[in-house]
């Protein structure tokens, strides 16, 4: 019987995620969550203890999905530089499809709550650090394969890529046209000290 219960829980998390993503933690009421999930308040509190408890689990779900997507793209390609280029191609497609400017749930949450909630800040920082580490690993592999300049710092370049991703995620709330994203991504990738063969 555990499997159906888990399925229901995941369904609730996905529905709650859409609400939190659209209106933020502070802007979301328990009434909003009850309406979205079709759970009674008692069931919601019984399963997640509080709105915050539900939100923390939503963040974990969103972050794990993000880590899986990034890992699949970056770590399963014979050419590390091609993997990074493919990541940004997919990233460009994702943000171009974000026609309501909702951005990234983790970045949005950091902007909303980082100065007020140490636990949430540390949780999301940990997930973002894992993504940054994947970039650093990929850039290190690129260096080992001779695709990246020997004097480059994979760790510093990983931070550079993350800063640009953050910037575009924040910018997405203004819903710029796709040529803006394309220009930023092209300049970001051109800034990498790639060795031409």
């Amino acid at each position: 019987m555990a499997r159906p219960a888990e399925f229901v829980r995941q369904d609730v998390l996905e529905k709650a995620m859409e609400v939190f993503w659209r209106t933020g933690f502070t802007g979301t009421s328990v009434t909003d969550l009850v309406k979205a999930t079709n759970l009674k308040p008692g069931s919601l509190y019984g399963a997640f203890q509080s709105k915050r408890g539900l939100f923390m689990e939503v963040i974990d779900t969103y972050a794990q999905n993000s880590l899986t997507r990034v890992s699949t793209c970056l770590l399963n390609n014979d050419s590390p530089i091609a993997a990074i280029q493919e990541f940004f191609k997919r990233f460009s497609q994702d943000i171009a499809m974000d026609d309501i400017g909702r951005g990234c749930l983790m970045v949005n949450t950091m902007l909303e709550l980082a100065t007020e909630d140490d636990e949430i800040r540390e949780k999301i920082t940990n997930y973002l650090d894992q993504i940054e580490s994947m970039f650093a690993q990929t850039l290190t592999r690129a260096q080992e394969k001779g695709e990246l300049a020997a004097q480059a710092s994979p760790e510093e370049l990983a931070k550079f890529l993350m800063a640009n991703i953050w910037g575009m995620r924040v910018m997405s709330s203004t819903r710029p046209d796709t040529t803006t994203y394309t220009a930023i991504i092209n300049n970001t990738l051109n800034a990498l000290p790639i060795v031409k063969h």
Side-chain angles (χ1 to χ4, degrees):
M1 296 299 292
R3 295 293 294 178
E6 182 62 30
F7 173 80
V8 170
R9 190 178 189 87
Q10 193 61 32
D11 186 50
V12 169
L13 288 169
E14 294 293 338
K15 290 175 178 176
M17 184 186 300
E18 290 299 319
V19 181
F20 284 125
W21 206 343
R22 186 172 62 251
T23 59
F25 176 76
T26 305
T28 297
S29 67
V30 172
T31 301
D32 295 330
L33 294 168
V34 166
K35 182 177 179 181
T37 62
N38 294 318
L39 286 179
K40 293 180 179 179
S43 297
L44 202 66
Y45 283 111
F48 301 100
Q49 284 72 58
S50 63
K51 182 180 87 166
R52 176 190 169 84
L54 174 56
F55 184 69
M56 297 292 268
E57 201 161 327
V58 161
I59 288 294
D60 286 336
T61 299
Y62 180 92
Q64 288 300 333
N65 290 341
S66 296
L67 288 169
T68 298
R69 287 196 305 272
V70 175
S71 176
T72 299
C73 189
L74 290 184
L75 304 181
N76 295 325
N77 193 309
D78 288 337
S79 168
I81 290 299
I84 290 173
Q85 292 168 337
E86 178 63 22
F87 169 86
F88 277 96
K89 178 182 176 181
R90 295 183 189 182
F91 179 71
S92 176
Q93 292 168 346
D94 287 346
I95 55 180
M97 290 169 57
D98 183 14
D99 55 2
I100 61 173
R102 65 181 183 172
C104 167
L105 181 58
M106 288 192 288
V107 172
N108 294 351
T109 301
M110 287 293 271
L111 293 173
E112 179 188 3
L113 300 174
T115 60
E116 303 171 11
D117 193 310
D118 290 342
E119 184 182 6
I120 287 177
R121 186 189 71 250
E122 289 171 7
K123 175 186 282 287
I124 295 176
T125 297
N126 175 61
Y127 283 125
L128 293 172
D129 285 348
Q130 290 181 59
I131 295 174
E132 182 179 311
S133 178
M134 288 182 199
F135 277 113
Q137 291 173 42
T138 305
L139 289 160
T140 297
R141 288 196 300 118
Q143 206 167 45
E144 291 168 351
K145 286 176 171 283
E147 295 183 348
L148 190 71
Q151 71 273 18
S153 167
E155 291 75 18
E156 290 178 6
L157 289 175
K159 293 181 186 301
F160 168 73
L161 293 178
M162 289 296 290
N164 280 275
I165 292 168
W166 267 68
M168 282 184 281
R169 284 301 196 187
V170 173
M171 184 186 294
S172 68
S173 64
T174 67
R175 286 174 267 184
D177 58 59
T178 55
T179 58
T180 299
Y181 292 129
T182 300
I184 294 170
I185 288 171
N186 286 342
N187 282 312
T188 299
L189 294 175
N190 288 337
L192 296 177
I194 296 171
V195 176
K196 305 295 182 181
H197 293 289

